[in-house]
Amino acid sequence: MFVSPPGYQPVYRPAIPYLGSIHGGLREKMTIYIQGATPEDITRFFVNLLCGESESSDVALHINPRFDGWDKVVFNSRTDGSWQSEDKIRKMPFSKGEKFELTIHVEPDEFQIKVNGKHFHDFKHRVPVSSVRAMHISGDVSVETINVLGGGFPGGPAGGAGGGFPGGLGPGGFPAGPAGGAGGFYPGGMGPGVFPGGPAGGARPGYPGGLSPPGYPGGSGPGDTWGDYPGSNLPSMSGQPIHSPPVPFSTRIAGGMFPKRTLIIRGMVPHHANRLSFDLVMSHSRDIAFHLNPRFQEGAVVRNSRLHGSWGREERELSTNPFAPGQYFDMSIRSGDRRFKVYVNGQHLCDYFHRVHSLAEVDQLDINGDVQISYVHF
């Protein structure tokens, strides 16, 4: 399971109805991303941002698509137990039986809502955003991932109790505990997402023999230092994510891809896609330290390096190809002492051993080809 660094803790494939905490509330410039799908026989579902941690709490934002013959999306809020005036948008950006991406971005005066990358509605704040404490999702919907990111985190020193999160809270607002100890930062001894946790190196559901994922404490990743699970000494995600950049896209990586640095890329492969590439580049020489190249006609994900103007040996072997036309993806690339580790949609995809000597010189990300990018975050 993808164990993410502080500041980025996605939830994967939660049971519906879902009720999850957002401790510390929301702040300006934070963004909630939800990837999901609707069934063919959908009637309605909803997403509520709650001002408490129970379903009956007041609601800062209610998003309620309704397929009832007069298809519409209803927006509302609930204060002191009473629903307020509805905003009814008589358009339907969701499609029956199809996947979707819902984005809720927090601005000073309003929530900005996008569906599948397109602006849909602005909902003016009716209660203070900082009062939001939880998210409730229910109805005819399945959810692949939920992400809350951006905005920065006030609080204690990074790497200390709570890893720089308010009130000693752990990533995603979960109560902190001893690094790598029982529960591993998660409430009730729960691990990331909905998976039971345990002591570092102990039982991890989904891994053979109860082992941790390779490269983590208790796992089988010699030569890579990732820190304690989930990582009191891992760096927080820094700065604001880059939202919906045009492709081709290029950005500098301040300080380079030093060990433990994590790059998050999230987006969608359009239906007509042929190929795309993600390149970690040494800007001074234009050498490519790591080239990740999904090729849809070949059904392959090619990995390689281009050094001194020449391509090296391709690596193609994979047990699965998570990139497919018409599908969303959530990818992380982590830099270890000896290798990059790539995770896609919460699952380990591949390791790529370094072919360059200085990771600090790997200081640029280039994205090219057939892809729509939702965000990039270091």
Side-chain angles (χ1 to χ4, degrees), residues 2 4 7-14 18 21-22 26 30-36 49 101-105 135 137 143-150 172 264-267 329-331 345-346 374-375 377:
F2 172 19
S4 54
Y8 181 88
Q9 184 58 58
V11 175
Y12 287 97
R13 295 172 287 278
Y18 166 80
S21 297
I22 310 175
L26 296 178
M30 290 183 73
T31 304
I32 297 171
Y33 287 85
I34 301 171
Q35 286 181 348
L49 299 184
E101 181 179 67
L102 172 65
T103 303
I104 305 169
H105 185 65
M135 186 186 316
I137 303 175
V143 172
E144 182 67 21
T145 64
I146 302 170
N147 298 264
V148 181
L149 74 159
I264 305 296
I265 305 172
R266 192 167 181 210
F329 64 87
D330 183 350
M331 177 169 67
N345 301 334
S374 297
Y375 72 74
H377 198 196

mmCIF file of all heavy atoms in Angstrom, residues 2 4 7-14 18 21-22 26 30-36 49 101-105 135 137 143-150 172 264-267 329-331 345-346 374-375 377:
data_model
loop_
_atom_site.group_PDB
_atom_site.id
_atom_site.type_symbol
_atom_site.label_atom_id
_atom_site.label_comp_id
_atom_site.label_asym_id
_atom_site.label_seq_id
_atom_site.Cartn_x
_atom_site.Cartn_y
_atom_site.Cartn_z
ATOM 1 N N PHE A 2 0.520 2.225 -0.762
ATOM 2 C CA PHE A 2 1.261 3.481 -0.861
ATOM 3 C C PHE A 2 1.241 4.176 0.494
ATOM 4 O O PHE A 2 0.225 4.629 0.946
ATOM 5 C CB PHE A 2 0.594 4.346 -1.921
ATOM 6 C CG PHE A 2 1.121 5.752 -2.034
ATOM 7 C CD1 PHE A 2 2.347 6.126 -1.547
ATOM 8 C CD2 PHE A 2 0.330 6.708 -2.650
ATOM 9 C CE1 PHE A 2 2.809 7.420 -1.671
ATOM 10 C CE2 PHE A 2 0.784 8.003 -2.777
ATOM 11 C CZ PHE A 2 2.021 8.362 -2.291
ATOM 12 N N SER A 4 2.358 7.321 2.209
ATOM 13 C CA SER A 4 2.803 8.606 1.724
ATOM 14 C C SER A 4 3.445 9.430 2.821
ATOM 15 O O SER A 4 3.254 9.180 3.997
ATOM 16 C CB SER A 4 1.617 9.375 1.149
ATOM 17 O OG SER A 4 0.592 9.441 2.094
ATOM 18 N N GLY A 7 1.813 15.338 4.940
ATOM 19 C CA GLY A 7 1.294 16.370 4.058
ATOM 20 C C GLY A 7 0.566 15.804 2.860
ATOM 21 O O GLY A 7 -0.088 16.529 2.135
ATOM 22 N N TYR A 8 0.665 14.493 2.631
ATOM 23 C CA TYR A 8 -0.051 13.899 1.505
ATOM 24 C C TYR A 8 -0.443 12.485 1.920
ATOM 25 O O TYR A 8 0.369 11.569 1.873
ATOM 26 C CB TYR A 8 0.850 13.850 0.261
ATOM 27 C CG TYR A 8 0.161 13.265 -0.942
ATOM 28 C CD1 TYR A 8 -0.576 14.065 -1.811
ATOM 29 C CD2 TYR A 8 0.237 11.902 -1.208
ATOM 30 C CE1 TYR A 8 -1.211 13.513 -2.907
ATOM 31 C CE2 TYR A 8 -0.390 11.348 -2.304
ATOM 32 C CZ TYR A 8 -1.110 12.156 -3.147
ATOM 33 O OH TYR A 8 -1.727 11.609 -4.219
ATOM 34 N N GLN A 9 -1.658 12.344 2.380
ATOM 35 C CA GLN A 9 -2.096 11.028 2.835
ATOM 36 C C GLN A 9 -3.412 10.659 2.169
ATOM 37 O O GLN A 9 -4.495 10.937 2.678
ATOM 38 C CB GLN A 9 -2.271 11.018 4.361
ATOM 39 C CG GLN A 9 -2.634 9.645 4.915
ATOM 40 C CD GLN A 9 -1.583 8.608 4.545
ATOM 41 O OE1 GLN A 9 -0.419 8.764 4.865
ATOM 42 N NE2 GLN A 9 -1.986 7.565 3.848
ATOM 43 N N PRO A 10 -3.348 10.068 0.978
ATOM 44 C CA PRO A 10 -4.587 9.712 0.301
ATOM 45 C C PRO A 10 -5.289 8.550 0.980
ATOM 46 O O PRO A 10 -4.688 7.760 1.695
ATOM 47 C CB PRO A 10 -4.123 9.319 -1.101
ATOM 48 C CG PRO A 10 -2.727 8.856 -0.912
ATOM 49 C CD PRO A 10 -2.160 9.667 0.213
ATOM 50 N N VAL A 11 -6.575 8.463 0.756
ATOM 51 C CA VAL A 11 -7.379 7.313 1.164
ATOM 52 C C VAL A 11 -7.766 6.583 -0.114
ATOM 53 O O VAL A 11 -8.256 7.202 -1.062
ATOM 54 C CB VAL A 11 -8.639 7.760 1.929
ATOM 55 C CG1 VAL A 11 -9.533 6.572 2.238
ATOM 56 C CG2 VAL A 11 -8.255 8.493 3.210
ATOM 57 N N TYR A 12 -7.535 5.281 -0.148
ATOM 58 C CA TYR A 12 -7.812 4.493 -1.347
ATOM 59 C C TYR A 12 -8.994 3.564 -1.115
ATOM 60 O O TYR A 12 -9.066 2.860 -0.111
ATOM 61 C CB TYR A 12 -6.590 3.655 -1.748
ATOM 62 C CG TYR A 12 -5.487 4.474 -2.351
ATOM 63 C CD1 TYR A 12 -4.413 4.898 -1.579
ATOM 64 C CD2 TYR A 12 -5.527 4.849 -3.693
ATOM 65 C CE1 TYR A 12 -3.397 5.663 -2.130
ATOM 66 C CE2 TYR A 12 -4.517 5.609 -4.248
ATOM 67 C CZ TYR A 12 -3.456 6.013 -3.465
ATOM 68 O OH TYR A 12 -2.459 6.776 -4.017
ATOM 69 N N ARG A 13 -9.923 3.586 -2.074
ATOM 70 C CA ARG A 13 -11.044 2.652 -2.156
ATOM 71 C C ARG A 13 -11.765 2.461 -0.809
ATOM 72 O O ARG A 13 -11.901 1.333 -0.315
ATOM 73 C CB ARG A 13 -10.556 1.302 -2.698
ATOM 74 C CG ARG A 13 -10.064 1.387 -4.128
ATOM 75 C CD ARG A 13 -9.419 0.110 -4.597
ATOM 76 N NE ARG A 13 -8.103 -0.077 -3.981
ATOM 77 C CZ ARG A 13 -6.988 0.510 -4.420
ATOM 78 N NH1 ARG A 13 -7.021 1.311 -5.466
ATOM 79 N NH2 ARG A 13 -5.831 0.270 -3.815
ATOM 80 N N PRO A 14 -12.214 3.556 -0.201
ATOM 81 C CA PRO A 14 -12.930 3.423 1.072
ATOM 82 C C PRO A 14 -14.305 2.810 0.856
ATOM 83 O O PRO A 14 -14.907 2.932 -0.220
ATOM 84 C CB PRO A 14 -13.058 4.870 1.557
ATOM 85 C CG PRO A 14 -13.116 5.670 0.281
ATOM 86 C CD PRO A 14 -12.165 4.961 -0.661
ATOM 87 N N TYR A 18 -18.772 6.711 3.482
ATOM 88 C CA TYR A 18 -17.461 7.026 4.033
ATOM 89 C C TYR A 18 -17.577 8.233 4.947
ATOM 90 O O TYR A 18 -18.229 9.229 4.602
ATOM 91 C CB TYR A 18 -16.484 7.338 2.897
ATOM 92 C CG TYR A 18 -15.197 7.995 3.355
ATOM 93 C CD1 TYR A 18 -14.159 7.242 3.894
ATOM 94 C CD2 TYR A 18 -15.026 9.380 3.252
ATOM 95 C CE1 TYR A 18 -12.984 7.836 4.316
ATOM 96 C CE2 TYR A 18 -13.849 9.987 3.669
ATOM 97 C CZ TYR A 18 -12.837 9.212 4.205
ATOM 98 O OH TYR A 18 -11.675 9.812 4.623
ATOM 99 N N SER A 21 -12.055 12.058 8.904
ATOM 100 C CA SER A 21 -11.709 13.312 9.560
ATOM 101 C C SER A 21 -10.807 14.195 8.695
ATOM 102 O O SER A 21 -9.991 13.709 7.923
ATOM 103 C CB SER A 21 -11.001 13.046 10.886
ATOM 104 O OG SER A 21 -11.852 12.369 11.785
ATOM 105 N N ILE A 22 -10.971 15.518 8.847
ATOM 106 C CA ILE A 22 -10.045 16.526 8.320
ATOM 107 C C ILE A 22 -9.682 17.407 9.511
ATOM 108 O O ILE A 22 -10.176 18.522 9.647
ATOM 109 C CB ILE A 22 -10.655 17.362 7.176
ATOM 110 C CG1 ILE A 22 -11.276 16.474 6.099
ATOM 111 C CG2 ILE A 22 -9.609 18.283 6.560
ATOM 112 C CD1 ILE A 22 -12.006 17.249 5.008
ATOM 113 N N LEU A 26 -10.092 23.204 7.066
ATOM 114 C CA LEU A 26 -9.561 23.604 5.769
ATOM 115 C C LEU A 26 -9.034 25.024 5.863
ATOM 116 O O LEU A 26 -9.408 25.786 6.750
ATOM 117 C CB LEU A 26 -10.650 23.518 4.703
ATOM 118 C CG LEU A 26 -11.223 22.132 4.398
ATOM 119 C CD1 LEU A 26 -12.327 22.246 3.357
ATOM 120 C CD2 LEU A 26 -10.130 21.193 3.907
ATOM 121 N N MET A 30 -6.277 25.255 -0.022
ATOM 122 C CA MET A 30 -6.303 23.803 0.061
ATOM 123 C C MET A 30 -7.272 23.257 -0.982
ATOM 124 O O MET A 30 -8.212 23.948 -1.408
ATOM 125 C CB MET A 30 -6.700 23.350 1.460
ATOM 126 C CG MET A 30 -5.641 23.624 2.504
ATOM 127 S SD MET A 30 -6.058 23.010 4.162
ATOM 128 C CE MET A 30 -5.847 21.246 3.910
ATOM 129 N N THR A 31 -7.043 22.029 -1.380
ATOM 130 C CA THR A 31 -7.852 21.407 -2.421
ATOM 131 C C THR A 31 -8.185 19.976 -2.034
ATOM 132 O O THR A 31 -7.336 19.252 -1.520
ATOM 133 C CB THR A 31 -7.113 21.399 -3.773
ATOM 134 O OG1 THR A 31 -6.741 22.736 -4.125
ATOM 135 C CG2 THR A 31 -7.995 20.824 -4.879
ATOM 136 N N ILE A 32 -9.425 19.591 -2.253
ATOM 137 C CA ILE A 32 -9.869 18.210 -2.065
ATOM 138 C C ILE A 32 -10.083 17.606 -3.453
ATOM 139 O O ILE A 32 -10.785 18.183 -4.288
ATOM 140 C CB ILE A 32 -11.176 18.148 -1.261
ATOM 141 C CG1 ILE A 32 -10.972 18.710 0.148
ATOM 142 C CG2 ILE A 32 -11.710 16.712 -1.193
ATOM 143 C CD1 ILE A 32 -12.278 18.870 0.928
ATOM 144 N N TYR A 33 -9.434 16.470 -3.685
ATOM 145 C CA TYR A 33 -9.600 15.741 -4.938
ATOM 146 C C TYR A 33 -10.279 14.413 -4.636
ATOM 147 O O TYR A 33 -9.844 13.672 -3.756
ATOM 148 C CB TYR A 33 -8.257 15.449 -5.599
ATOM 149 C CG TYR A 33 -7.586 16.643 -6.224
ATOM 150 C CD1 TYR A 33 -6.791 17.484 -5.470
ATOM 151 C CD2 TYR A 33 -7.748 16.930 -7.584
ATOM 152 C CE1 TYR A 33 -6.156 18.584 -6.031
ATOM 153 C CE2 TYR A 33 -7.127 18.016 -8.157
ATOM 154 C CZ TYR A 33 -6.326 18.841 -7.373
ATOM 155 O OH TYR A 33 -5.705 19.920 -7.939
ATOM 156 N N ILE A 34 -11.306 14.105 -5.389
ATOM 157 C CA ILE A 34 -11.993 12.825 -5.249
ATOM 158 C C ILE A 34 -12.095 12.187 -6.629
ATOM 159 O O ILE A 34 -12.634 12.794 -7.562
ATOM 160 C CB ILE A 34 -13.413 13.003 -4.658
ATOM 161 C CG1 ILE A 34 -13.345 13.676 -3.280
ATOM 162 C CG2 ILE A 34 -14.131 11.649 -4.570
ATOM 163 C CD1 ILE A 34 -14.713 14.069 -2.737
ATOM 164 N N GLN A 35 -11.558 10.984 -6.773
ATOM 165 C CA GLN A 35 -11.755 10.189 -7.980
ATOM 166 C C GLN A 35 -12.769 9.105 -7.651
ATOM 167 O O GLN A 35 -12.660 8.435 -6.618
ATOM 168 C CB GLN A 35 -10.448 9.527 -8.409
ATOM 169 C CG GLN A 35 -9.444 10.459 -9.029
ATOM 170 C CD GLN A 35 -8.189 9.719 -9.446
ATOM 171 O OE1 GLN A 35 -7.982 8.575 -9.073
ATOM 172 N NE2 GLN A 35 -7.330 10.374 -10.219
ATOM 173 N N GLY A 36 -13.744 8.950 -8.517
ATOM 174 C CA GLY A 36 -14.767 7.947 -8.268
ATOM 175 C C GLY A 36 -15.452 7.510 -9.534
ATOM 176 O O GLY A 36 -15.019 7.825 -10.650
ATOM 177 N N LEU A 49 -19.048 18.339 3.421
ATOM 178 C CA LEU A 49 -17.957 18.783 4.275
ATOM 179 C C LEU A 49 -18.575 19.185 5.608
ATOM 180 O O LEU A 49 -19.347 20.145 5.683
ATOM 181 C CB LEU A 49 -17.204 19.955 3.639
ATOM 182 C CG LEU A 49 -16.555 19.664 2.283
ATOM 183 C CD1 LEU A 49 -15.749 20.867 1.803
ATOM 184 C CD2 LEU A 49 -15.675 18.419 2.340
ATOM 185 N N GLU A 101 -13.667 12.875 -11.831
ATOM 186 C CA GLU A 101 -12.779 13.537 -10.879
ATOM 187 C C GLU A 101 -13.474 14.798 -10.390
ATOM 188 O O GLU A 101 -13.857 15.667 -11.185
ATOM 189 C CB GLU A 101 -11.445 13.899 -11.525
ATOM 190 C CG GLU A 101 -10.484 14.574 -10.549
ATOM 191 C CD GLU A 101 -9.161 14.908 -11.208
ATOM 192 O OE1 GLU A 101 -9.151 15.779 -12.097
ATOM 193 O OE2 GLU A 101 -8.144 14.308 -10.830
ATOM 194 N N LEU A 102 -13.672 14.895 -9.085
ATOM 195 C CA LEU A 102 -14.314 16.045 -8.454
ATOM 196 C C LEU A 102 -13.253 16.810 -7.668
ATOM 197 O O LEU A 102 -12.535 16.234 -6.846
ATOM 198 C CB LEU A 102 -15.429 15.571 -7.524
ATOM 199 C CG LEU A 102 -16.089 16.623 -6.619
ATOM 200 C CD1 LEU A 102 -16.830 17.671 -7.454
ATOM 201 C CD2 LEU A 102 -17.044 15.950 -5.637
ATOM 202 N N THR A 103 -13.152 18.114 -7.928
ATOM 203 C CA THR A 103 -12.184 18.973 -7.269
ATOM 204 C C THR A 103 -12.914 20.063 -6.499
ATOM 205 O O THR A 103 -13.776 20.743 -7.059
ATOM 206 C CB THR A 103 -11.243 19.635 -8.294
ATOM 207 O OG1 THR A 103 -10.604 18.622 -9.055
ATOM 208 C CG2 THR A 103 -10.206 20.498 -7.615
ATOM 209 N N ILE A 104 -12.565 20.220 -5.215
ATOM 210 C CA ILE A 104 -13.120 21.290 -4.379
ATOM 211 C C ILE A 104 -11.939 22.138 -3.921
ATOM 212 O O ILE A 104 -11.110 21.691 -3.118
ATOM 213 C CB ILE A 104 -13.873 20.728 -3.164
ATOM 214 C CG1 ILE A 104 -14.960 19.743 -3.608
ATOM 215 C CG2 ILE A 104 -14.478 21.862 -2.332
ATOM 216 C CD1 ILE A 104 -15.571 18.951 -2.462
ATOM 217 N N HIS A 105 -11.849 23.350 -4.424
ATOM 218 C CA HIS A 105 -10.739 24.239 -4.111
ATOM 219 C C HIS A 105 -11.232 25.363 -3.207
ATOM 220 O O HIS A 105 -12.284 25.963 -3.460
ATOM 221 C CB HIS A 105 -10.140 24.814 -5.392
ATOM 222 C CG HIS A 105 -8.923 25.649 -5.174
ATOM 223 N ND1 HIS A 105 -7.744 25.132 -4.678
ATOM 224 C CD2 HIS A 105 -8.699 26.979 -5.373
ATOM 225 C CE1 HIS A 105 -6.850 26.103 -4.590
ATOM 226 N NE2 HIS A 105 -7.405 27.223 -5.004
ATOM 227 N N MET A 135 -15.357 14.698 6.266
ATOM 228 C CA MET A 135 -15.990 14.533 4.964
ATOM 229 C C MET A 135 -16.890 13.308 5.017
ATOM 230 O O MET A 135 -16.504 12.263 5.557
ATOM 231 C CB MET A 135 -14.920 14.362 3.882
ATOM 232 C CG MET A 135 -15.481 14.323 2.470
ATOM 233 S SD MET A 135 -14.171 13.933 1.240
ATOM 234 C CE MET A 135 -12.832 14.984 1.797
ATOM 235 N N ILE A 137 -19.327 10.915 2.474
ATOM 236 C CA ILE A 137 -19.722 10.577 1.111
ATOM 237 C C ILE A 137 -20.661 9.385 1.179
ATOM 238 O O ILE A 137 -20.353 8.373 1.829
ATOM 239 C CB ILE A 137 -18.504 10.226 0.241
ATOM 240 C CG1 ILE A 137 -17.490 11.374 0.232
ATOM 241 C CG2 ILE A 137 -18.929 9.891 -1.188
ATOM 242 C CD1 ILE A 137 -16.201 11.055 -0.497
ATOM 243 N N VAL A 143 -15.693 5.160 -4.726
ATOM 244 C CA VAL A 143 -14.592 6.118 -4.654
ATOM 245 C C VAL A 143 -13.279 5.368 -4.771
ATOM 246 O O VAL A 143 -13.056 4.368 -4.081
ATOM 247 C CB VAL A 143 -14.653 6.923 -3.349
ATOM 248 C CG1 VAL A 143 -13.395 7.776 -3.180
ATOM 249 C CG2 VAL A 143 -15.894 7.818 -3.330
ATOM 250 N N GLU A 144 -12.426 5.857 -5.660
ATOM 251 C CA GLU A 144 -11.096 5.282 -5.836
ATOM 252 C C GLU A 144 -10.092 5.935 -4.898
ATOM 253 O O GLU A 144 -9.344 5.263 -4.199
ATOM 254 C CB GLU A 144 -10.644 5.451 -7.287
ATOM 255 C CG GLU A 144 -9.289 4.838 -7.604
ATOM 256 C CD GLU A 144 -9.276 3.329 -7.522
ATOM 257 O OE1 GLU A 144 -10.355 2.715 -7.604
ATOM 258 O OE2 GLU A 144 -8.183 2.760 -7.370
ATOM 259 N N THR A 145 -10.031 7.273 -4.884
ATOM 260 C CA THR A 145 -9.102 7.974 -4.008
ATOM 261 C C THR A 145 -9.723 9.251 -3.488
ATOM 262 O O THR A 145 -10.568 9.870 -4.150
ATOM 263 C CB THR A 145 -7.786 8.348 -4.719
ATOM 264 O OG1 THR A 145 -8.069 9.271 -5.780
ATOM 265 C CG2 THR A 145 -7.081 7.137 -5.277
ATOM 266 N N ILE A 146 -9.282 9.655 -2.301
ATOM 267 C CA ILE A 146 -9.615 10.951 -1.703
ATOM 268 C C ILE A 146 -8.299 11.587 -1.273
ATOM 269 O O ILE A 146 -7.491 10.946 -0.603
ATOM 270 C CB ILE A 146 -10.538 10.812 -0.479
ATOM 271 C CG1 ILE A 146 -11.835 10.094 -0.847
ATOM 272 C CG2 ILE A 146 -10.845 12.189 0.117
ATOM 273 C CD1 ILE A 146 -12.690 9.721 0.366
ATOM 274 N N ASN A 147 -8.082 12.829 -1.668
ATOM 275 C CA ASN A 147 -6.865 13.545 -1.307
ATOM 276 C C ASN A 147 -7.219 14.922 -0.769
ATOM 277 O O ASN A 147 -8.087 15.605 -1.325
ATOM 278 C CB ASN A 147 -5.968 13.747 -2.527
ATOM 279 C CG ASN A 147 -5.499 12.449 -3.138
ATOM 280 O OD1 ASN A 147 -4.408 11.986 -2.845
ATOM 281 N ND2 ASN A 147 -6.325 11.847 -3.989
ATOM 282 N N VAL A 148 -6.549 15.338 0.286
ATOM 283 C CA VAL A 148 -6.648 16.701 0.803
ATOM 284 C C VAL A 148 -5.229 17.231 0.854
ATOM 285 O O VAL A 148 -4.377 16.657 1.533
ATOM 286 C CB VAL A 148 -7.278 16.742 2.205
ATOM 287 C CG1 VAL A 148 -7.390 18.177 2.694
ATOM 288 C CG2 VAL A 148 -8.654 16.080 2.206
ATOM 289 N N LEU A 149 -4.941 18.329 0.152
ATOM 290 C CA LEU A 149 -3.571 18.809 0.107
ATOM 291 C C LEU A 149 -3.517 20.303 -0.091
ATOM 292 O O LEU A 149 -4.522 20.950 -0.383
ATOM 293 C CB LEU A 149 -2.780 18.114 -0.995
ATOM 294 C CG LEU A 149 -3.055 18.505 -2.432
ATOM 295 C CD1 LEU A 149 -1.872 18.118 -3.316
ATOM 296 C CD2 LEU A 149 -4.306 17.832 -2.948
ATOM 297 N N GLY A 150 -2.291 20.837 0.097
ATOM 298 C CA GLY A 150 -2.044 22.252 -0.083
ATOM 299 C C GLY A 150 -2.334 23.045 1.169
ATOM 300 O O GLY A 150 -2.791 22.535 2.175
ATOM 301 N N GLY A 172 -2.637 14.260 7.295
ATOM 302 C CA GLY A 172 -4.062 14.213 7.029
ATOM 303 C C GLY A 172 -4.881 14.557 8.249
ATOM 304 O O GLY A 172 -6.099 14.436 8.249
ATOM 305 N N ILE A 264 4.641 14.000 -6.646
ATOM 306 C CA ILE A 264 3.282 13.508 -6.881
ATOM 307 C C ILE A 264 2.765 14.084 -8.199
ATOM 308 O O ILE A 264 2.827 15.297 -8.413
ATOM 309 C CB ILE A 264 2.323 13.920 -5.746
ATOM 310 C CG1 ILE A 264 2.858 13.466 -4.386
ATOM 311 C CG2 ILE A 264 0.922 13.380 -6.007
ATOM 312 C CD1 ILE A 264 2.948 11.984 -4.209
ATOM 313 N N ILE A 265 2.291 13.231 -9.081
ATOM 314 C CA ILE A 265 1.672 13.668 -10.338
ATOM 315 C C ILE A 265 0.332 12.975 -10.464
ATOM 316 O O ILE A 265 0.240 11.757 -10.343
ATOM 317 C CB ILE A 265 2.536 13.322 -11.562
ATOM 318 C CG1 ILE A 265 3.943 13.895 -11.416
ATOM 319 C CG2 ILE A 265 1.879 13.832 -12.848
ATOM 320 C CD1 ILE A 265 4.908 13.434 -12.491
ATOM 321 N N ARG A 266 -0.696 13.760 -10.696
ATOM 322 C CA ARG A 266 -2.024 13.179 -10.828
ATOM 323 C C ARG A 266 -2.694 13.711 -12.084
ATOM 324 O O ARG A 266 -2.582 14.899 -12.399
ATOM 325 C CB ARG A 266 -2.860 13.545 -9.608
ATOM 326 C CG ARG A 266 -4.130 12.753 -9.525
ATOM 327 C CD ARG A 266 -4.731 12.919 -8.154
ATOM 328 N NE ARG A 266 -5.934 12.144 -8.074
ATOM 329 C CZ ARG A 266 -6.956 12.472 -7.309
ATOM 330 N NH1 ARG A 266 -6.902 13.538 -6.563
ATOM 331 N NH2 ARG A 266 -8.025 11.719 -7.283
ATOM 332 N N GLY A 267 -3.367 12.845 -12.823
ATOM 333 C CA GLY A 267 -3.994 13.314 -14.052
ATOM 334 C C GLY A 267 -4.835 12.240 -14.703
ATOM 335 O O GLY A 267 -5.227 11.254 -14.078
ATOM 336 N N PHE A 329 -5.038 8.624 -13.074
ATOM 337 C CA PHE A 329 -3.926 7.988 -12.374
ATOM 338 C C PHE A 329 -3.430 8.917 -11.262
ATOM 339 O O PHE A 329 -3.598 10.135 -11.312
ATOM 340 C CB PHE A 329 -2.774 7.653 -13.328
ATOM 341 C CG PHE A 329 -2.113 8.860 -13.952
ATOM 342 C CD1 PHE A 329 -1.071 9.522 -13.312
ATOM 343 C CD2 PHE A 329 -2.541 9.326 -15.188
ATOM 344 C CE1 PHE A 329 -0.476 10.630 -13.884
ATOM 345 C CE2 PHE A 329 -1.953 10.440 -15.768
ATOM 346 C CZ PHE A 329 -0.920 11.093 -15.113
ATOM 347 N N ASP A 330 -2.836 8.297 -10.255
ATOM 348 C CA ASP A 330 -2.271 8.995 -9.105
ATOM 349 C C ASP A 330 -0.892 8.381 -8.890
ATOM 350 O O ASP A 330 -0.776 7.242 -8.447
ATOM 351 C CB ASP A 330 -3.174 8.777 -7.895
ATOM 352 C CG ASP A 330 -2.717 9.531 -6.655
ATOM 353 O OD1 ASP A 330 -1.604 10.072 -6.665
ATOM 354 O OD2 ASP A 330 -3.482 9.573 -5.678
ATOM 355 N N MET A 331 0.172 9.119 -9.258
ATOM 356 C CA MET A 331 1.513 8.554 -9.272
ATOM 357 C C MET A 331 2.435 9.291 -8.307
ATOM 358 O O MET A 331 2.381 10.516 -8.192
ATOM 359 C CB MET A 331 2.109 8.635 -10.690
ATOM 360 C CG MET A 331 3.541 8.128 -10.785
ATOM 361 S SD MET A 331 4.130 7.936 -12.483
ATOM 362 C CE MET A 331 4.181 9.646 -13.023
ATOM 363 N N ASN A 345 -1.605 4.621 -8.339
ATOM 364 C CA ASN A 345 -2.907 4.243 -7.779
ATOM 365 C C ASN A 345 -2.755 3.376 -6.531
ATOM 366 O O ASN A 345 -3.463 2.395 -6.333
ATOM 367 C CB ASN A 345 -3.763 3.524 -8.827
ATOM 368 C CG ASN A 345 -4.008 4.379 -10.053
ATOM 369 O OD1 ASN A 345 -3.980 5.607 -9.973
ATOM 370 N ND2 ASN A 345 -4.244 3.755 -11.184
ATOM 371 N N GLY A 346 -1.775 3.748 -5.703
ATOM 372 C CA GLY A 346 -1.599 3.073 -4.428
ATOM 373 C C GLY A 346 -0.824 1.787 -4.478
ATOM 374 O O GLY A 346 -0.614 1.166 -3.443
ATOM 375 N N SER A 374 -3.782 17.006 -13.501
ATOM 376 C CA SER A 374 -4.587 17.679 -12.483
ATOM 377 C C SER A 374 -3.717 18.485 -11.545
ATOM 378 O O SER A 374 -4.025 19.625 -11.229
ATOM 379 C CB SER A 374 -5.386 16.651 -11.664
ATOM 380 O OG SER A 374 -6.294 15.945 -12.461
ATOM 381 N N TYR A 375 -2.639 17.880 -11.061
ATOM 382 C CA TYR A 375 -1.705 18.648 -10.247
ATOM 383 C C TYR A 375 -0.353 17.964 -10.180
ATOM 384 O O TYR A 375 -0.218 16.763 -10.403
ATOM 385 C CB TYR A 375 -2.260 18.924 -8.848
ATOM 386 C CG TYR A 375 -2.340 17.761 -7.891
ATOM 387 C CD1 TYR A 375 -1.220 17.214 -7.266
ATOM 388 C CD2 TYR A 375 -3.579 17.210 -7.566
ATOM 389 C CE1 TYR A 375 -1.318 16.172 -6.375
ATOM 390 C CE2 TYR A 375 -3.688 16.173 -6.668
ATOM 391 C CZ TYR A 375 -2.552 15.657 -6.074
ATOM 392 O OH TYR A 375 -2.664 14.612 -5.186
ATOM 393 N N HIS A 377 3.008 18.068 -7.386
ATOM 394 C CA HIS A 377 3.345 18.519 -6.032
ATOM 395 C C HIS A 377 4.623 17.837 -5.584
ATOM 396 O O HIS A 377 4.778 16.629 -5.761
ATOM 397 C CB HIS A 377 2.187 18.165 -5.077
ATOM 398 C CG HIS A 377 2.202 18.919 -3.800
ATOM 399 N ND1 HIS A 377 1.469 18.523 -2.701
ATOM 400 C CD2 HIS A 377 2.846 20.040 -3.416
ATOM 401 C CE1 HIS A 377 1.651 19.386 -1.716
ATOM 402 N NE2 HIS A 377 2.500 20.319 -2.123
#
